Amino acid sequence: MTNFTINTKSVSFDGDENTPLLWVIRDALNMTGTKFGCGIGQCGACTVHIDGRARRSCITPVSTVDGQTITTIEGLAAPDGELHPVQQAWLEHDVPQCGYCQAGQIMATVDFLKRYPKPSDEDIDNNMTNICRCGTYVRIRKAIHRAAELNAPGEDS
Amino acid sequence: MSAVADKVGMTRRRFLIAGSGVAGSLVLGLPAFAGAPLDSDRLIGFFVQIETDGSVIIGSNQPEIGQGVRTALPMLVAEELDVDWSMVSVRQMPLGIVKTADGYDWKYGVQGVGGSTGLTENFDHMRQVGRTARGQLIKAAAKRLGVPEEQCSTRPGVVICSALGTEIPYGELVSEASRLPLPAESPALKSIDDYRIVGSRQKTIDARDIVTGKTRYGVDTVAAEMRYAVIARAPVLNATVRSFDDRDARKVAGVLDVFEIKGPELDAPYLILASGVAVVATSTWAAMQGRDALTIEWNESPNANDNSQAFWRENENALKEKGQVVLDDGDFDAAMESAEKVVVRQYRVPFVSHAPLEPQNCYAFVEEDRCHIIAPTQSPSGSSRSAAAVTGLPRENIRVDMTRVGGGFGRRLTTDYVAEAAMVSKHTGWPIKLQWSREDDVKNDFYRPGGLHEMHAGVNGNGEITAWAQRLASASKYYRRPDMPDENLFGAELYVDDFPRRIIDNVRMEYFHNTIGLPRGSWRAPAHTANAFVIQSFLDEVAYETGQDSLQLRLKLLGEDRELEYGGHGGETFNPGRLSRLLTFVAEQIGYGQKLQQGRGIGIATHCTFGGYAAHAMEVTVADGKLRIERIVAAIDCGLAVHPNAVEAQLQGGTIDGISTALGLEITVENGQVQQSNFHDYPLAKIAAIPALFESHILPYDDKPTGVGEMGIPSAAPALTNAIFAATGIRIRSLPIAEQLES
């Protein structure tokens, strides 16, 4: 039995403890904002926060998050619905095309901006490794800079 | 990928012609036509719903794959309906299939996106839908007020009768309007000069749902009693199952059933791609674990010795012979004979995979008399056809819903995964969500065909190209098509009316069809990606070999505005002057011609893709074998930009797709097995590859929109490799670039 908190809700999972966190979130909890893209930690579509740090949930066995706090894209906005600055910046620059990778991109950016509150383009190049197959990178870059301007608080809401 | 219209259906054009006399009824979606009443008296036709508070819900009939149709098409409706865009929300429509006396018809128009036709094929239709609905609201108001229709007009969301000084909101009229007889013809459309919404920068209508994780893709389908399925597919192309041992698989907690899935007969038209063994479980992970625990013996495949190296050698050898001459304008041989200088080069374009980020998946529930499909698809009618073939059910009993699609790129014009899901559901009787892994997707794709191109140019004493040939050995995209004679296979790979036909007098094209077990299909801007790379690289080489400026050589050929006959998809004409304008523009923007330091270079390229025009200029540095793109200027001429925000996004995305593919992507085969499996060995570009200095420009042309989804790709790769040449003197003649600069 693995117990953890997800978007402020306490949950437990009693299936195979090697199950990747991704599939627990998607199939057991039916929270579908976190996406499956590669299954080997390459693309980042499955990025969630574990105790505040961006992690690739497709290669994270659920047993390793026992007692920890998970935030997914569904839990990023404030309880009153006010979007996180990174989400706001994504809307301002209208980043998504197909949109499939964007939850992961946003979760990765929130963590990145905690470490690099005013990032240079080089910081972005060196740290942002999520794949966007549609090629929204031009707007992702602008949105990251904009989110930094909006002064992302750097903590999960 | 021109023809997305269902074969048994009608093209959009015929659809409207068939409805002549009742066109207004048809464009709105006449209830009698569907054989059923509309769901609500708030609906005017199938597409337009107006609530009492004035909010408007517009139906979108096309699949959204990221190209923006779910915003662009409702923009057209809203423009003509005359409502505020802020009042609009969008409802995804299912496949509107209707049984007729002699086949099937499509109550929402032809549905399917490919060949950059999603907007253009619906441009008139959606405007007529909006305009006709507005006309009905005016009629309802005039009737209520007892005035002639001519005395009524509209402002956004309101019918106004200035004679009486009266205004009635649409929301109060819709119920009456929905009961009025429809006009025989759509009212006259708005003048383009009066557009408020179309042509203005609107944001993606679903963006908020996307950034909050609410949007449902195919992969997110959840239904009561739903089970999860995966399929173990043959590792060798076209291998079949000899036997399998599922004892360990069935021991995996959650695994419910294991059974064989039969693949197609060799070389027969396919329904699904590969033979395999299905595992059904209570979760995706359990099904995947069950699959890992299978032991499968495969029969020897006739493709067991297929090998990429052999394929490329065969192409080289083929080009030494004479091929099928598919175009022979003027007298090529004589022109070459009299040429002052002859340039001959070969270029290799690899097989590549679509790799949409959402792996293939499909929900299917097959019951005795009906079937429900929920799929991320570019082809809902193809999905319906696949499900019908598997289930034997009449197509009108198959409901096809389409989700937002996590990337298309042409992969989801093929509906093999829909057929697979239907097979698993039919076998088990359960509602099934079939999920492919990334490895399934990379190894079981309909790849963009690889080919070896040989280019010939004869140049006269004035530096003019007087003879031109393109000789291509490749495996045609027309893979296992029914009724496809060998002599037509070239048509998917060489577009004979492309540049430089009708510009250079003596032009020859030759095709050599080679075979390999790799399945082939439509990959975003299909053969344009290969041909633009080849032609735009070769022009650069001819300029260099004859001591001419690369831009000037191109501009002399492209010349001024004129309409040349163009018979292929994107015709009926091709205006090379539009390419001149774009090329001149991007060259000026990037500072083409300036003196650059060692290791720095600028490259340019331009191409017309399915009727839309684009050009690229790129500046790169190469130092110590490392390539860095410093700056990109991209420009598109899509006629009228209906949804400029999406046009810009597609230009950026297409450019990046072109760069990503040129930098590092190739699919290879050894011993009949695809060698790549996931993003570690099929490395899509990441943000670091794309410079912050990236300019996107839309150059307006006329009032006729072209598609935009594919136009941004083809000239990107040659602009990049031409820049590399300018920087280093190294000519990239084989894609991907990969490590070629390091040696």
Side-chain angles (χ1 to χ4, degrees):
Chain A
M1 179 79 81
T2 308
N3 301 296
F4 57 94
T5 302
I6 187 160
N7 301 337
T8 72
K9 206 173 82 185
S10 295
V11 295
S12 52
F13 177 72
D14 62 0
D16 176 4
E17 62 179 21
N18 293 320
T19 307
L21 177 61
L22 170 69
W23 295 113
V24 174
I25 292 171
R26 289 185 55 82
D27 288 356
L29 303 174
N30 282 337
M31 294 166 60
T32 55
T34 307
K35 300 300 189 224
F36 168 53
C38 71
I40 61 168
Q42 283 280 327
C43 75
C46 66
T47 305
V48 298
H49 293 176
I50 301 175
D51 283 350
R53 292 300 307 274
R55 293 283 180 260
R56 294 190 168 171
S57 64
C58 74
I59 49 168
T60 304
V62 67
S63 60
T64 65
V65 303
D66 193 55
Q68 298 190 304
T69 299
I70 316 291
T71 305
T72 69
I73 190 69
E74 292 96 335
L76 194 60
D80 67 359
E82 189 188 342
L83 297 182
H84 188 282
V86 173
Q87 291 170 310
Q88 290 174 34
W90 245 245
L91 289 187
E92 274 184 40
H93 283 278
D94 202 37
V95 174
Q97 287 185 28
C98 88
Y100 193 77
C101 74
Q102 300 298 347
Q105 302 278 4
I106 289 168
M107 297 309 282
T109 300
V110 170
D111 180 38
F112 167 65
L113 287 176
K114 285 183 209 166
R115 291 176 286 126
Y116 297 85
K118 293 286 173 199
S120 65
D121 283 321
E122 200 181 353
D123 293 332
I124 293 172
D125 290 347
N126 292 337
N127 290 276
M128 288 296 293
T129 57
N130 286 33
I131 289 173
C132 173
R133 174 65 180 89
C134 297
T136 62
Y137 296 133
V138 181
R139 292 186 181 181
I140 287 178
R141 188 184 296 277
K142 287 180 180 163
I144 292 172
H145 288 306
R146 176 61 181 147
E149 267 173 33
L150 290 170
N151 196 18
E155 287 298 321
D156 297 346
S157 51
Chain B
M1 69 170 132
S2 57
V4 293
D6 192 302
K7 268 192 181 163
V8 290
M10 306 162 92
T11 65
R12 164 95 224 105
R13 193 176 178 80
R14 284 178 56 210
F15 176 78
L16 282 175
I17 291 164
S20 63
V22 285
S25 312
L26 270 178
V27 297
L28 278 173
L30 179 67
F33 178 63
L38 293 168
D39 301 336
S40 154
D41 69 351
R42 308 217 69 84
L43 277 165
I44 309 179
F46 291 122
F47 289 87
V48 176
Q49 184 176 340
I50 304 172
E51 301 297 321
T52 42
D53 66 359
S55 62
V56 182
I57 303 165
I58 298 177
S60 178
N61 59 348
Q62 301 299 327
E64 173 61 64
I65 58 177
Q67 83 282 46
V69 280
R70 241 176 86 91
T71 306
L73 297 179
M75 280 168 73
L76 295 168
V77 177
E79 181 72 66
E80 293 289 352
L81 178 61
D82 200 8
V83 292
D84 271 332
W85 182 244
S86 62
M87 298 302 283
V88 172
S89 61
V90 175
R91 171 173 51 88
Q92 183 69 48
M93 301 167 93
L95 177 67
I97 189 167
V98 183
K99 182 94 177 83
T100 60
D102 55 352
Y104 293 98
D105 218 331
W106 314 100
K107 63 180 176 178
Y108 309 139
V110 170
Q111 295 173 274
V113 289
S116 294
T117 57
L119 177 87
T120 51
E121 290 284 300
N122 291 283
F123 181 60
D124 290 340
H125 184 201
M126 286 302 121
R127 290 187 300 158
Q128 287 164 355
V129 162
R131 206 58 177 174
T132 310
R134 174 180 174 273
Q136 297 300 91
L137 291 160
I138 287 176
K139 252 187 270 174
K143 204 170 148 196
R144 189 191 289 185
L145 297 171
V147 299
E149 281 173 48
E150 293 70 35
Q151 286 186 17
C152 295
S153 183
T154 60
R155 63 176 177 81
V158 178
V159 178
I160 47 181
C161 174
S162 35
L164 300 177
T166 310
E167 300 194 350
I168 313 176
Y170 285 179
E172 291 175 19
L173 292 166
V174 62
S175 176
E176 287 157 74
S178 72
R179 288 193 296 268
L180 292 173
L182 289 156
E185 282 171 28
S186 167
L189 297 173
K190 232 175 167 172
S191 158
I192 189 171
D193 299 329
D194 297 332
Y195 284 171
R196 297 176 296 110
I197 300 169
V198 170
S200 69
R201 246 186 119 85
Q202 302 297 342
K203 289 189 171 171
T204 302
I205 199 140
D206 303 300
R208 193 184 170 94
D209 283 350
I210 292 169
V211 304
T212 52
K214 288 193 184 77
T215 299
R216 290 275 191 273
Y217 297 80
V219 78
D220 302 324
T221 302
V222 177
E225 300 300 309
M226 185 181 85
R227 270 73 160 183
Y228 300 79
V230 300
I231 296 176
R233 294 178 183 78
V236 177
L237 298 164
N238 291 316
T240 52
V241 177
R242 178 186 298 159
S243 63
F244 65 95
D245 179 347
D246 63 2
R247 282 172 294 184
D248 288 344
R250 286 179 182 276
K251 283 180 201 152
V252 172
V255 169
L256 302 168
D257 204 356
V258 182
F259 50 93
E260 185 180 339
I261 296 284
K262 286 240 184 288
E265 295 299 315
L266 195 66
D267 292 333
Y270 57 87
L271 190 57
I272 65 169
L273 192 48
S275 295
V277 178
V279 179
V280 183
T282 53
S283 71
T284 314
W285 182 245
M288 287 176 170
Q289 294 296 104
R291 178 168 71 170
D292 287 349
L294 284 170
T295 307
I296 308 173
E297 299 290 329
W298 303 94
N299 290 313
E300 172 89 1
S301 157
N303 298 104
N305 297 319
D306 278 15
N307 192 306
S308 289
Q309 284 183 354
F311 175 77
W312 292 112
R313 263 199 316 276
E314 288 157 13
N315 289 336
E316 279 171 36
N317 291 333
L319 289 175
K320 291 170 188 158
E321 308 295 325
K322 186 136 180 81
Q324 177 193 3
V325 176
V326 300
L327 175 70
D328 208 5
D329 282 357
D331 190 338
F332 172 78
D333 292 325
M336 287 299 276
E337 197 69 31
S338 61
E340 189 92 347
K341 184 159 180 81
V342 166
V343 184
V344 181
R345 293 285 186 273
Q346 287 191 350
Y347 302 88
R348 194 196 75 116
V349 181
F351 286 90
V352 292
S353 177
H354 298 86
L357 205 57
E358 178 189 15
Q360 311 316 324
N361 64 82
C362 181
Y363 169 87
F365 187 25
V366 180
E367 296 178 88
E368 200 172 323
D369 58 346
R370 77 190 108 162
C371 169
H372 187 195
I373 299 290
I374 305 174
T377 180
Q378 294 178 248
S379 178
S381 57
S383 300
S384 154
R385 211 162 45 237
S386 286
V390 167
T391 60
L393 290 168
R395 292 181 68 187
E396 63 272 25
N397 292 10
I398 296 169
R399 180 184 168 95
V400 177
D401 281 299
M402 43 196 136
T403 62
R404 190 179 189 86
V405 184
F409 314 107
R411 174 61 181 87
R412 293 191 236 255
L413 290 168
T414 313
T415 52
D416 52 321
Y417 53 95
V418 175
E420 287 181 346
M423 286 174 175
V424 175
S425 178
K426 188 182 179 202
H427 182 97
T428 59
W430 291 323
I432 292 292
K433 181 164 70 180
L434 174 79
Q435 180 66 57
W436 287 36
S437 63
R438 175 57 52 194
E439 289 79 7
D440 292 330
D441 189 58
V442 172
K443 287 181 179 295
N444 297 274
D445 196 0
F446 297 85
Y447 306 95
R448 183 186 74 183
L452 185 65
H453 300 245
E454 187 174 277
M455 304 299 294
H456 295 244
V459 184
N460 69 15
N462 297 326
E464 293 159 345
I465 302 174
T466 52
W468 176 280
Q470 182 174 8
R471 310 174 71 236
L472 168 61
S474 79
S476 170
K477 178 186 95 171
Y478 287 153
Y479 169 77
R480 292 190 179 181
R481 298 250 176 139
D483 311 320
M484 177 55 65
D486 282 358
E487 64 267 26
N488 290 354
L489 290 171
F490 78 91
E493 310 308 324
L494 290 171
Y495 303 146
V496 292
D497 284 345
D498 272 6
F499 173 93
R501 190 177 193 194
R502 302 189 177 91
I503 292 171
I504 294 171
D505 291 338
N506 307 294
V507 179
R508 179 177 288 168
M509 282 185 170
E510 265 178 88
Y511 189 66
F512 307 76
H513 181 58
N514 194 359
T515 55
I516 189 165
L518 279 174
R520 281 90 61 191
S522 295
W523 191 99
R524 195 181 194 181
H528 284 298
T529 51
N531 293 326
F533 168 70
V534 169
I535 291 168
Q536 294 295 314
S537 296
F538 188 56
L539 283 173
D540 231 45
E541 298 220 51
V542 171
Y544 181 78
E545 289 296 328
T546 56
Q548 302 185 71
D549 177 79
S550 189
L551 173 62
Q552 291 309 320
L553 173 69
R554 284 178 170 84
L555 292 179
K556 266 194 282 174
L557 288 164
L558 293 169
E560 301 293 315
D561 275 338
R562 63 204 186 282
E563 300 291 337
L564 304 180
E565 185 188 336
Y566 191 97
H569 173 41
E572 302 164 349
T573 60
F574 160 55
N575 180 347
R578 293 169 76 171
L579 294 180
S580 291
R581 188 174 65 130
L582 286 163
L583 198 60
T584 304
F585 177 83
V586 297
E588 275 174 16
Q589 288 294 311
I590 208 159
Y592 177 89
Q594 65 187 292
K595 189 104 182 103
L596 297 169
Q597 68 203 53
Q598 181 89 24
R600 203 170 177 101
I602 286 173
I604 53 170
T606 187
H607 191 75
C608 172
T609 303
F610 300 147
Y613 300 78
H616 287 92
M618 295 192 200
E619 183 171 346
V620 305
T621 50
V622 181
D624 302 326
K626 288 267 176 260
L627 167 70
R628 190 181 149 81
I629 304 173
E630 301 289 345
R631 188 176 168 208
I632 297 171
V633 179
I636 185 169
D637 163 5
C638 60
L640 169 70
V642 167
H643 179 17
N645 181 29
V647 175
E648 183 198 87
Q650 287 304 303
L651 179 60
Q652 292 172 345
T655 303
I656 291 171
D657 198 353
I659 291 171
S660 173
T661 309
L663 286 176
L665 301 183
E666 178 172 15
I667 291 293
T668 58
V669 180
E670 268 181 56
N671 300 325
Q673 301 189 46
V674 173
Q675 295 300 291
Q676 292 70 31
S677 62
N678 204 318
F679 295 133
H680 63 291
D681 53 13
Y682 195 75
L684 297 171
K686 297 179 179 175
I687 199 168
I690 307 305
L693 295 176
F694 189 126
E695 295 169 35
S696 325
H697 301 274
I698 301 169
L699 272 56
Y701 183 72
D702 57 11
D703 58 0
K704 197 169 155 278
T706 76
V708 299
E710 295 165 295
M711 293 59 190
I713 300 189
S715 51
L720 175 59
T721 54
N722 289 342
I724 289 170
F725 179 79
T728 63
I730 298 170
R731 173 59 61 185
I732 301 292
R733 298 197 186 92
S734 175
L735 292 176
I737 298 162
E739 276 107 42
Q740 292 180 67
L741 299 175
E742 286 174 21
S743 53

